[in-house]
Amino acid sequence: MRGKHVRAWLAASAVAMASSGAIAADTIKIGSFLSVTGPASFLGDPELKTLQMYIDQINAEGGVLGKQLALVHYDVGVDADNARTSTKRLLEDDQVDVIVGGSTTGTTMAAVPLVERAGVPFISLAGAVVIIEPVKKWVFKTPHTDRMAAQKIFEDMKARDITKVALISGTGGFGKSGRAQSTAVAGDYGIEIVADETYGPKDTDMTPQLTKIKNTDGVQAVLNFGFGQGPAIVTKNYKQLGMTAPLYQSHGVASKKYIELAGDAANGVRLPGSALLVADKLADDDPQKPVVIGYQTMYEKATGTDVSTFGGHAYDGLMIAVEAMKTAGSTDKEAVRAAIENTQGFVGTGGVVNMSAEDHLGLDLTAFRMLEIQDGDWVLVD
Amino acid sequence: MGWMRAPRTGGLMLLALIVAAIPWFLPNNFYFEMAILVGINAIVAVGLNLLIGYAGQISLGHAGFFGLGGYCSGILVATYGWPPALALLLGAVGVAALAFIIARPILRLKGHYLAMATLGLGIIISIVVSTEDWLTGGPDGMYVPPFTLFGWELYGEAVWYWVIGGLLLLAVWLALNIIDSPVGRALRALHGSEVAAQAAGVDTTRAKVRVFVVSAVFAAVMGSLHAHYAGFVTPTSSGFFHSIELVTMVVLGGMASTFGAVVGAAILTVLPQLLSGFEDYEMVVFGLILMLTMIFMPQGLVPTLARVCKRRDQRASPIPGVDEVDP
């Protein structure tokens, strides 16, 4: 066993050395670490498929700056320590030119100090606002923030004259951050949070929390911040309890999976989502329409599964990086970083991106569409 | 030649040579990182091995102590601006006190009940650190500043390598001395038969409590250092899977073998990185390797290999008295 182990080591290091020797000047290395397995696999899986698919396509079309792209990917689950080790491997061992990855906020934040020190452009695919606020020189992100989601929801509530809202959120990272952001911005829209309940990531019944909300006076709408199974259970319990106030979900459930899990109970639920979810329902003059239709067609053809917003984030990240390299005319790290920061009018699946030195996300509230679920499908509200 | 074969002298020297030689073979900082993580895990495993291998008590909650050490450093240094060394010390003392208080009731339990109790303890710690987000930053963890001592910042992989390497030697030296001391003999006696040990006048409860505290402190100190090295600490580090991983290191390397714990830690830390090329099959291959090792080497790698070597040796030149060596 030990002999074999040593040999495996030698073989692996020989391969590693051979491959590092083979980094000819004609490849550009795109590094990535994603949550392909584990509880966040619904993020990482479409992201990885998207990266592979588009890198193959770009290579078939002749690559970038006359060079081929090579994807170096490590699966990190939702383990921050693993993300850190993998990032170090990408930076030190694989010497990648740019990193597009980090499905969750926890794994992204573990990588941030390393990329900042190494000086390699990093486009994160995770949600929370802490990633880009305060602005970090080398760190960018493509998905809308949880704060924007809360703002979009409250905007819609305000339009419906709703002022008293009950909040129910998951205790996972996403739910927690969403809860904090919702409480922080509610006041800006004249909205008062009258009930604030939470549930654990593995809970299978949220009836007690919802009953409490039901018995709270004056609740005009309920907002659920969470992802995974939780929101679907909340939706079902909500219906079972015969609650009739409008139910809002966050962008965390913006995939067909949620509708499947929640079934009929999802009818009438409103949530902010990206244009990708309603690609075929967009107005013909919508600038995002060609991009989202193109991405949806390609993804669904290649994978045979429904498109999700999360894969779209990876598309946006990869394309912003590729465009930046083209603009910079090289893979020089500082030049590429500056080019990413100067991204203007880039139309992605998440919205129109206009970055600046103060804004490493570059999206505004128009990037979100308010959607309502009707008969198992998304319908545009605004 | 006898001293060369005794683990307390020869084995320790061999380990020192290996620690000193490894940097020459590390091409870049990623490999240094792997070596540092091996060292950190090895020290925790060496401590845990005292409890599992020698005292025969199972702990499925050691990651909890590891996490407590890390969070203690994180909270005291990042939030309250304490000097890191003081925070580390307080973390170690705090964990020692906690371990001491709960050891007496917990260690009265035996077998599955003991495993359950330590498992529960680990899970409680893990739940507390992931829900008390005002203090610990919640599921995404918290930032931990670098380790500084007298204004000198511990920075860079090479520096950390030597610090952890030195601590590993210290930990192994400590463990080997504990095993060869009266306490160690008492532990081995109670591992064989607790009743017999009691009849022979060994205060078994006291011996068990002591070794539980020592192994918890090993974990807490490494938890602190790991948090400083990584720059953050998350609830995963105190989670159930990390506990299982630590126990697996001890069992794979060989229970009741200090060097086995080091080897087990090295394999379990490095193997997942080596297997990352297998993509989706990584976990399957990983599990298969562990299973096959346990089926064919139920006593763990190092004791089995040591016995094989010894048998060969004896065939070549039978020296009387060598078989008292217990690796």
Side-chain angles (χ1 to χ4, degrees):
Chain A
M1 207 49 224
R2 188 194 240 172
K4 260 186 209 155
H5 181 70
V6 171
R7 249 175 304 177
W9 238 121
L10 288 178
S13 27
V15 170
M17 272 170 210
S19 62
S20 54
I23 315 177
D26 55 353
T27 54
I28 296 174
K29 283 193 164 187
I30 312 272
S32 186
F33 61 96
L34 298 166
S35 309
V36 181
T37 54
S41 61
F42 68 100
L43 301 171
D45 183 59
E47 286 163 358
L48 180 60
K49 283 178 180 155
T50 302
L51 289 180
Q52 281 165 338
M53 198 166 78
Y54 276 91
I55 285 178
D56 287 347
Q57 194 200 22
I58 291 169
N59 283 341
E61 287 166 359
V64 178
L65 306 172
K67 299 175 185 177
Q68 292 282 295
L69 298 181
L71 177 67
V72 187
H73 167 259
Y74 300 111
D75 175 18
V76 298
V78 287
D79 183 359
D81 285 315
N82 198 346
R84 182 175 175 284
T85 309
S86 298
T87 307
K88 193 159 266 184
R89 192 168 180 178
L90 290 170
L91 295 171
E92 301 276 349
D93 202 36
D94 302 311
Q95 308 210 330
V96 296
D97 295 294
V98 58
I99 298 179
V100 179
S103 309
T104 65
T105 303
T107 53
T108 295
M109 292 311 283
V112 163
L114 297 179
V115 295
E116 283 289 299
R117 202 194 301 161
V120 173
F122 171 36
I123 302 181
S124 165
L125 312 178
V129 74
V130 292
I131 297 168
I132 46 151
E133 213 167 88
V135 175
K136 295 157 193 79
K137 190 177 174 199
W138 297 91
V139 183
F140 304 85
K141 78 184 211 91
T142 55
H144 323 89
T145 65
D146 35 16
R147 183 183 299 167
M148 291 168 64
Q151 286 168 332
K152 187 77 183 178
I153 291 166
F154 291 142
E155 210 177 72
D156 190 62
M157 286 179 176
K158 200 177 174 189
R160 290 167 98 178
D161 290 328
I162 291 169
T163 53
K164 288 191 168 163
V165 175
L167 188 61
I168 175 166
S169 53
T171 51
F174 181 82
K176 269 207 165 130
S177 174
R179 176 179 166 272
Q181 297 300 334
S182 303
T183 349
V185 298
D188 302 348
Y189 296 85
I191 284 171
E192 190 192 342
I193 309 265
V194 290
D196 183 5
E197 296 293 323
T198 59
Y199 55 86
K202 285 173 192 146
D203 289 5
T204 51
D205 181 35
M206 282 63 150
T207 326
Q209 290 95 326
L210 288 171
T211 310
K212 227 169 149 186
I213 290 175
K214 197 182 173 186
N215 295 336
T216 308
D217 282 338
V219 172
Q220 292 169 302
V222 178
L223 166 58
N224 179 201
F225 235 107
F227 74 25
Q229 303 263 0
I233 299 169
V234 167
T235 312
K236 278 188 163 172
N237 291 162
Y238 200 79
K239 182 93 172 192
Q240 283 157 1
L241 287 173
M243 294 170 76
T244 48
L247 176 62
Y248 284 80
Q249 288 287 353
S250 73
H251 58 314
V253 301
S255 75
K256 271 276 162 66
K257 198 92 198 160
Y258 165 71
I259 304 185
E260 276 168 33
L261 286 172
D264 283 346
N267 276 337
V269 169
R270 285 195 177 188
L271 66 149
S274 77
L276 189 54
L277 290 176
V278 283
D280 44 354
K281 299 187 184 77
L282 291 177
D284 284 331
D285 58 348
D286 195 302
Q288 275 187 273
K289 183 148 188 168
V291 176
V292 290
I293 293 273
Y295 173 70
Q296 186 184 26
T297 320
M298 183 149 163
Y299 185 87
E300 289 181 353
K301 208 175 108 195
T303 63
T305 52
D306 278 335
V307 73
S308 80
T309 326
F310 315 117
H313 299 324
Y315 168 87
D316 295 353
L318 178 67
M319 291 306 168
I320 289 174
V322 166
E323 289 301 319
M325 283 186 235
K326 284 183 187 161
T327 315
S330 76
T331 54
D332 176 69
K333 309 240 168 27
E334 173 55 38
V336 173
R337 190 205 72 82
I340 296 175
E341 194 168 73
N342 289 325
T343 301
Q344 287 294 319
F346 169 84
V347 183
T349 63
V352 182
V353 179
N354 296 301
M355 293 207 195
S356 68
E358 291 81 39
D359 183 4
H360 277 191
L361 167 66
L363 294 172
D364 58 24
L365 280 191
T366 59
F368 264 133
R369 317 290 165 119
M370 190 43 81
L371 310 176
E372 191 171 302
I373 298 168
Q374 280 171 18
D375 302 322
D377 203 3
W378 318 103
V379 177
L380 268 169
V381 176
D382 51 6
Chain B
M1 289 298 276
W3 66 271
M4 285 274 289
R5 296 185 150 262
R8 236 195 314 170
T9 43
L12 199 60
M13 265 185 65
L14 182 67
L15 187 66
L17 278 177
I18 294 174
V19 169
I22 278 176
W24 303 100
F25 299 99
L26 300 176
N28 59 45
N29 280 346
F30 166 66
Y31 291 86
F32 267 101
E33 157 121 2
M34 290 316 297
I36 292 163
L37 293 179
V38 166
I40 290 175
N41 283 330
I43 296 172
V44 181
V46 164
L48 189 57
N49 181 47
L50 288 175
L51 184 70
I52 298 182
Y54 290 98
Q57 312 294 316
I58 300 167
S59 169
L60 294 178
H62 255 55
F65 297 127
F66 185 86
L68 274 186
Y71 273 103
C72 192
S73 284
I75 293 164
L76 290 179
V77 179
T79 317
Y80 297 102
W82 281 40
L86 203 60
L88 181 140
L89 210 65
L90 191 86
V93 172
V95 165
L98 176 73
F100 184 75
I101 292 166
I102 56 170
R104 278 188 172 262
I106 276 193
L107 291 172
R108 290 171 78 109
L109 304 170
K110 291 192 178 75
H112 300 313
Y113 299 103
L114 175 67
M116 287 294 291
T118 51
L119 176 68
L121 175 71
I123 290 180
I124 291 169
I125 294 174
S126 168
I127 289 176
V128 169
V129 293
S130 55
T131 45
E132 297 303 310
D133 52 336
W134 58 275
L135 188 66
T136 63
D140 286 337
M142 70 182 297
Y143 161 78
V144 184
F147 194 90
T148 47
L149 195 60
F150 308 120
W152 176 66
E153 189 181 315
L154 212 55
Y155 175 78
E157 271 72 11
V159 177
W160 271 101
Y161 176 83
W162 292 116
V163 170
I164 299 293
L167 285 174
L168 176 63
L169 292 175
L170 183 71
V172 170
W173 178 77
L174 266 174
L176 291 173
N177 276 294
I178 290 176
I179 295 158
D180 276 351
S181 71
V183 181
R185 281 197 293 278
L187 287 177
R188 276 181 284 171
L190 85 91
H191 189 188
S193 158
E194 197 166 337
V195 178
Q198 274 167 348
V202 175
D203 186 347
T204 52
T205 316
R206 205 177 127 168
K208 284 196 283 186
V209 169
R210 270 189 179 176
V211 77
F212 188 71
V213 171
V214 167
S215 72
V217 168
F218 271 46
V221 170
M222 292 331 286
S224 286
L225 287 175
H226 179 261
H228 282 296
Y229 171 65
F232 63 85
V233 52
T234 64
T236 330
S237 66
S238 61
F240 171 58
F241 283 104
H242 191 208
S243 285
I244 297 292
E245 213 173 33
L246 292 170
V247 173
T248 317
M249 286 172 189
V250 173
V251 177
L252 178 76
M255 278 191 272
S257 160
T258 301
F259 296 103
V262 177
V263 172
I267 292 176
L268 261 104
T269 313
V270 174
L271 206 53
Q273 290 295 329
L274 281 181
L275 294 177
S276 66
F278 287 93
E279 291 281 345
D280 292 352
Y281 301 102
E282 182 188 326
M283 280 335 245
V284 179
V285 178
F286 188 58
L288 201 66
I289 292 175
L290 292 187
M291 257 168 57
L292 291 177
T293 316
M294 290 329 292
I295 291 173
F296 293 107
M297 299 180 162
Q299 293 195 297
L301 284 172
V302 171
T304 312
L305 290 172
R307 200 165 325 113
V308 171
C309 294
K310 206 192 286 175
R311 222 177 291 146
R312 252 187 233 161
D313 248 32
Q314 279 171 342
R315 233 176 288 146
S317 62
I319 310 168
V322 187
D323 45 86
E324 76 198 15
V325 173
D326 186 11

